[in-house]
């Protein structure tokens, strides 16, 4: 059974004849008759009573007519939804999320909802490597990533930039400075998460230290922000660096100072191919053409 056969069946039923149905469909009458006969053979039922000058629905045809209308309406709706998906106004967009997105993700999703109200966004939290692999495989349509400068097979579109903050003991002389440079921290042990926890951020900080000509001694590893700040405030002098996620956290005997120089860029990773309309809407909602400015070391 083909959709066009149902369309022909509907046209003959509504027009009351094969000739008028052919005119409506803009095809020859023989083509309509041939397709109706094929449909009747497939169903094993007569759809029309042809015993009089006028064509009338048979009892079977009368019963099947609303079913044919429903099938054609569903096919029309399917085509309509497919067109809306192509236009990016409907569909499902699978987005890899980052730890602690703060308000910006939700503002962007609200903006996306205003642009494409029927476009559903499904967020998936996963480690950085898994996010990137899922975008490459097509399991995710896009993923937010921090501090990443390149990814084979993917395009990175910057969407915002986060300044970095130094956390150090409030009793340390450097705590009196309004702005810190890496050179000033050269001799103070630094607390960084192991590289395997977040290679992009680790490389950002160690690379910035090299560019500044310093190699600060390693302190205990960064674990969680809360734990690390507690140890900085009560233990041997050390420092760590982080980006703000949802405001600077309260911490006992710890001072926060902005760091001059490096900053963390958050990007949206997509496959290196022409963007779908839905992805273009996503980038627009994040202000990708004009990234805005916005803690942690976790990706």
């Amino acid at each position: 059974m083909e959709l066009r056969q149902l369309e022909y069946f509907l046209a003959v039923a509504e027009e009351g004849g094969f000739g008028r149905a052919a005119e409506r469909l803009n095809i020859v009458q023989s083509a309509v008759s041939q397709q109706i006969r094929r449909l009747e053979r497939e169903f094993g039922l007569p759809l029309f009573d042809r015993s009089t000058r006028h064509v009338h629905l048979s009892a079977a045809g009368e019963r099947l007519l609303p079913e044919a209308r429903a099938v054609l309406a569903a096919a029309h709706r399917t085509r309509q939804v497919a067109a809306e998906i192509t236009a990016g106004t409907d569909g499902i967009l699978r987005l890899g999320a980052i730890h602690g997105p703060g308000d910006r993700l939700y503002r962007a999703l609200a903006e996306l909802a205003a642009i494409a109200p029927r476009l559903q966004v499904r967020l998936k939290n996963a480690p950085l490597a898994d996010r990137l692999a899922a975008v490459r495989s097509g399991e995710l349509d896009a993923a937010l990533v921090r501090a990443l400068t390149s990814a084979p097979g993917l395009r990175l579109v910057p969407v915002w930039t986060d300044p970095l903050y130094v956390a150090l003991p409030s009793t340390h002389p450097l705590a009196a400075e309004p702005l810190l440079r890496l050179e000033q921290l050269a001799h103070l042990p630094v607390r960084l998460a192991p590289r395997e926890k977040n290679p992009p951020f680790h490389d950002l900080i160690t690379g910035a230290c090299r560019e500044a000509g310093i190699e600060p001694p390693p302190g205990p590893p960064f674990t969680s922000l809360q734990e690390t700040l507690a140890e900085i405030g009560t233990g041997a002098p050390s420092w760590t660096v982080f980006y703000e996620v949802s405001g600077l956290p309260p911490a006992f005997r710890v001072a926060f100072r902005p760091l001059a120089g490096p900053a963390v860029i958050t990007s949206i990773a997509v496959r290196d191919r022409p963007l779908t309309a839905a992805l273009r809407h996503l980038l627009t909602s994040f202000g990708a053409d004009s990234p805005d400015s916005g803690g942690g070391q976790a990706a």
Side-chain angles (χ1 to χ4, degrees), residues 64-140:
L64 287 172
L65 183 61
E67 305 297 333
R69 283 196 173 108
V71 170
L72 292 173
H76 174 75
R77 177 57 184 158
T78 301
R79 292 190 190 100
Q80 185 179 38
V81 171
E84 291 170 351
I85 292 172
T86 300
T89 57
D90 200 335
I92 297 170
L93 197 153
R94 302 155 302 174
L95 177 64
I98 53 179
H99 170 73
D103 293 336
R104 284 177 297 190
L105 173 60
Y106 304 113
R107 288 200 303 267
L109 294 182
E111 179 67 22
L112 181 61
I115 296 171
R118 291 186 302 280
L119 182 61
Q120 304 172 45
V121 178
R122 293 181 179 171
L123 297 177
K124 179 179 179 180
N125 289 292
L128 174 62
D130 293 347
R131 264 177 279 150
L132 296 176
V135 175
R136 290 189 184 99
S137 69
E139 183 183 348
L140 289 177

Side-chain angles (χ1 to χ4, degrees), residues 280-291:
R280 289 196 297 271
H281 292 329
L282 177 71
L283 295 177
T284 298
S285 70
F286 274 89
D289 293 333
S290 54

Side-chain angles (χ1 to χ4, degrees), residues 7-17 20-21 24 48 55 57 65 69 72:
E7 290 171 351
Y8 294 178
F9 168 48
L10 182 61
V12 174
E14 291 179 345
E15 298 296 333
R20 288 190 294 274
R24 167 173 152 179
F48 294 99
V55 174
L57 282 168
L65 183 61
R69 283 196 173 108
L72 292 173

